[in-house]
Amino acid sequence: MNLGGEAGAYGPALAGTEYGEVFLERTSWTSARLEDGAVRDIGTGTERGLGLRLLTRENGRVLTLFGSSQDTGPQAAARLRKRLKPDAPERGPGFSPARSNPARCRLDPATIPLARKIALLHALDRAARELSPLVRQVTALYGDRTIDTRVLNSDRADLRQSRISATLSISVVAEHGTGLQTGTEVLGAQRGFELFDNDAAPAAACRAAARALAKLNAPKAKAGEMPVILAAAAGGTFIHEAIGHSLEVDHVQEGSSPAYGGKEGKTVAPETITVIDDPTLPFQRGSFIFDDEGVDAQTTVLVQNGVLKNFLYDRTTALREECASNGHGRRESFASRPIPRMSNIYIAPGKDDPSQIIRGMERGLLVTRMGGGQVDTASGEFVFEVDEGWRVEGGKVRHLVRDANLLGVGPEALRSIDRVGWDIGWGIGTCGKDGQNVAVSDGQPTVRMPRLVVGGSHD
């Protein structure tokens, strides 16, 4: 990967500060959207740039100076340094030999003709519509991205990595007597076009259509407080929203995470719950070799057997507490400053048999597919849509329900979990925070919460 100039030429921009870094990035992408049988909004492009960040202490506070440029040369870094902090020495730190981590995939999306990517979207449209004439609309989004980054910092590091990812999102709307119902499926990973070079994509389109069609004849979910089982197939939206954001330590330092601030070493969940954020997992959407500040990726145990052990740090928040970053400084692009972010967060599998968890439920809701959601980090209150949920009675799955959502308070819901399965399922997404979006994955086993509010029908 050839990105930027000779390492030593960037040194003067970093000298004379508590910490400094030059972040170089080149991103190439392709995107396309199909709707109403036509492919539109086709985009492709390349962007490159440089971000310079300097951290200093003033009156006991950590001061951040940051600027960016679309020029990746050493002269651009020098100009930014002069504007941000004019007292740059003539010489800067030397650099260790470069460490490079190239992307690996079988079919580089950059080598796949655009016509083949568009043909894939048309194939999804056909697969969904062939299931039933009740399918009214199919929307499919394709995207691939190659990101090359380089971090040069005052720790003398010269670190380079490349990441290739591909995603496909399918939404199907069916219409009949109960009105409109929707089913969605998402495929994505740090993989190349081989992710779609089989029957996986058409099968996903068929699953989305089948779910929308099934909900047309499903009764509305009954509203009320009841036991809820989140199947592993539902993915980890719950853990991401209910606790993940609250463990990004900037929220704790700002006082906007009262449920976990000052609770390190204390019990915050049942003994059966262990929560981990791990950017080292192969192929997961949120993975990396080193973070956007040049800190090596590492597995971080946040909650161990119910006890709060750690938070997610970047260099700035670590400097405030005079500790080491654990490699969770991430940024949307070279034009953004890094902040503490999740990567691949999950609840570790437990010991319960998932089928026995269901058989042990007398009456309640089984969620096998989560929809969108939102959470208030300060209060912990959340609302999640249920894309696929089932009525359980007498320990048996009785029938599909529609129009359900889940309401609760994250820390309370986490503490209430009384069954943890030995399985695990994953979901992917794009997480937003402070105006920045980054790729993430989240996972969980089958878990049961004895009392959770389900929004639905009062009939």
Side-chain angles (χ1 to χ4, degrees):
M1 179 184 70
N2 182 19
L3 181 59
E6 189 273 324
Y10 293 93
L14 304 175
T17 60
E18 186 113 6
Y19 169 80
E21 83 205 352
V22 173
F23 180 82
L24 305 168
E25 180 183 50
R26 178 176 57 225
T27 302
S28 302
W29 73 90
T30 300
S31 63
R33 176 172 173 267
L34 176 143
E35 189 171 359
D36 295 328
V39 175
R40 59 196 73 189
D41 299 334
I42 300 173
T44 183
T46 299
E47 184 179 29
R48 67 174 64 206
L50 170 155
L52 174 67
R53 187 175 61 136
L54 308 172
L55 301 182
T56 59
R57 292 181 188 270
E58 288 190 8
N59 300 321
R61 300 174 60 192
V62 178
L63 176 65
T64 300
L65 302 174
F66 177 79
S68 64
S69 169
Q70 293 183 318
D71 183 346
T72 59
Q75 297 83 1
R79 288 192 295 269
L80 284 174
R81 170 59 191 251
K82 186 174 182 180
R83 193 163 74 238
L84 295 173
K85 201 169 189 294
D87 60 343
E90 293 184 5
R91 295 177 61 88
F95 292 93
S96 302
R99 287 168 48 197
S100 183
N101 293 280
R104 293 180 175 87
C105 65
R106 185 165 56 83
L107 291 176
D108 186 344
T111 67
I112 304 299
L114 180 60
R116 186 174 172 186
K117 299 171 183 177
I118 291 174
L120 173 65
L121 294 177
H122 283 297
L124 300 179
D125 185 71
R126 290 193 301 271
R129 292 183 185 277
E130 285 174 356
L131 281 188
S132 171
L134 298 180
V135 171
R136 294 288 183 261
Q137 185 178 55
V138 179
T139 302
L141 304 175
Y142 169 87
D144 62 57
R145 187 172 293 265
T146 300
I147 304 176
D148 299 322
T149 60
R150 183 182 181 188
V151 177
L152 300 124
N153 63 29
S154 52
D155 292 342
R156 304 180 66 243
D158 182 0
L159 303 170
R160 314 175 192 203
Q161 71 178 325
S162 296
R163 285 169 287 175
I164 293 174
S165 62
T167 58
L168 195 60
S169 172
I170 308 108
S171 176
V172 178
V173 177
E175 184 178 19
H176 195 43
T178 57
L180 300 174
Q181 294 296 328
T182 303
T184 61
E185 285 285 330
V186 180
L187 301 176
Q190 282 194 39
R191 304 281 295 275
F193 200 78
E194 68 269 16
L195 189 62
F196 316 122
D197 194 34
N198 49 37
D199 293 332
C206 289
R207 289 195 302 273
R211 188 175 302 120
L213 291 164
K215 286 193 289 188
L216 289 174
N217 297 314
K220 289 185 177 182
K222 293 187 180 298
E225 194 174 62
M226 66 186 71
V228 172
I229 295 173
L230 300 182
T237 300
F238 168 76
I239 194 63
H240 179 103
E241 298 289 359
I243 184 175
H245 280 295
S246 298
L247 297 182
E248 293 166 337
V249 77
D250 52 343
H251 292 305
V252 177
Q253 293 176 346
E254 294 162 3
S256 59
S257 181
Y260 300 108
K263 300 291 179 63
E264 197 166 0
K266 297 182 180 179
T267 298
V268 296
E271 188 178 358
T272 52
I273 295 294
T274 293
V275 180
I276 299 169
D277 191 283
D278 191 355
T280 72
L281 298 175
F283 304 117
Q284 288 288 1
R285 184 163 158 81
S287 296
F288 44 83
I289 303 299
F290 56 84
D291 74 359
D292 293 331
E293 300 177 297
V295 179
D296 287 341
Q298 54 190 280
T299 303
T300 302
V301 178
L302 299 167
V303 177
Q304 186 172 39
N305 301 127
V307 177
L308 181 61
K309 292 292 187 180
N310 209 343
F311 297 100
L312 300 178
Y313 286 86
D314 67 349
R315 287 185 184 266
T316 302
T317 53
L319 196 59
R320 288 174 187 157
E321 298 184 19
E322 298 184 347
C323 64
S325 168
N326 51 23
H328 285 84
R330 304 185 66 191
R331 62 182 104 202
E332 180 175 353
S333 76
F334 68 89
S336 308
R337 64 180 181 86
I339 53 178
R341 304 298 298 269
M342 287 174 276
S343 61
N344 308 308
I345 192 168
Y346 65 98
I347 299 176
K351 297 181 179 180
D352 293 318
D353 184 334
S355 63
Q356 292 292 340
I357 295 176
I358 296 172
R359 281 197 282 269
M361 177 184 277
E362 180 58 32
R363 183 178 290 107
L365 180 70
L366 168 65
V367 178
T368 52
R369 186 79 183 179
M370 295 286 279
Q374 58 185 6
V375 64
D376 184 323
T377 304
S379 67
E381 295 180 348
F382 63 78
V383 179
F384 297 138
E385 297 176 358
V386 175
D387 190 38
E388 184 178 73
W390 303 81
R391 180 71 175 173
V392 176
E393 293 180 356
K396 294 183 179 181
V397 179
R398 296 298 182 181
H399 57 78
L400 186 71
V401 297
R402 60 182 172 88
D403 302 339
N405 52 54
L406 305 178
L407 302 90
V409 178
E412 294 176 5
L414 187 70
R415 285 194 296 268
S416 76
I417 293 174
D418 64 353
R419 294 289 187 274
V420 182
W422 44 249
D423 54 351
I424 189 167
W426 289 89
I428 67 165
T430 300
C431 176
K433 175 183 173 180
D434 292 355
Q436 296 190 45
N437 295 315
V438 297
V440 296
S441 296
D442 37 52
Q444 67 168 60
T446 297
V447 298
R448 185 178 77 173
M449 288 167 279
R451 300 178 72 85
L452 198 63
V453 175
V454 175
S457 173
H458 292 277
D459 296 339

